[in-house]
């Protein structure tokens, strides 16, 4: 049974996700956000488009039609987090501000809880 999770996507990030999906010709985009073991702090984030939502996924429906799928393992680690897209002089990229992360590494993509 699918349920929702407290995971926020900023308008900037939602627009960027939709733009990337449109550029890749993905009509009904599902962005899978996961936590995987690894990185210098124990866990790291992984994101990519997926073709389906599974029965145990937590789902966030965005106003622009994009759906965010978070697997059952990852949900407790990223509940309450905010996905944003930041553009600066060095380029742009997605960031996750996670209140569950006790520590993170210098690169910002690895964390511990």
């Amino acid at each position: 049974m699918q349920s929702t999770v407290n995971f926020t996507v900023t308008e900037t990030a939602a627009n960027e996700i939709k733009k990337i999906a449109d550029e890749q010709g993905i009509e009904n985009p599902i962005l899978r956000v996961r936590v995987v073991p690894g990185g210098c702090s124990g866990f790291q984030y992984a994101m990519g488009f997926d073709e389906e939502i599974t029965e145990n996924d937590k789902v966030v429906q965005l106003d622009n039609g994009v759906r965010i799928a978070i697997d059952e393992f990852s949900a407790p680690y990223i509940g309450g987090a905010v996905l944003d897209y930041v553009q600066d002089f060095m380029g742009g990229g997605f960031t996750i501000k996670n209140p569950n992360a006790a520590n993170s590494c210098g690169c910002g993509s690895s964390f511990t809880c």
Side-chain angles (χ1 to χ4, degrees), residues 30-94:
I30 300 167
L31 181 70
R32 183 161 298 281
V33 179
R34 302 181 307 136
V35 171
V36 295
C40 52
S41 294
F43 292 106
Q44 58 189 2
Y45 304 109
M47 293 190 305
F49 288 110
D50 202 341
E51 295 183 10
E52 63 183 40
I53 293 175
T54 66
E55 183 178 315
N56 293 322
D57 284 339
K58 310 299 184 204
V59 180
V60 178
Q61 177 72 47
L62 305 182
D63 291 339
N64 65 2
V66 173
R67 290 177 289 169
I68 307 296
I70 301 171
D71 64 78
E72 191 173 30
F73 171 81
S74 301
Y77 293 103
I78 58 177
V82 177
L83 175 64
D84 196 6
Y85 185 83
V86 179
Q87 184 76 36
D88 61 21
F89 293 113
M90 299 295 289
F94 289 98

Side-chain angles (χ1 to χ4, degrees), residues 101-112:
N103 295 306
S104 62
C105 66
C107 67
S109 65
S110 180
F111 68 98
T112 59

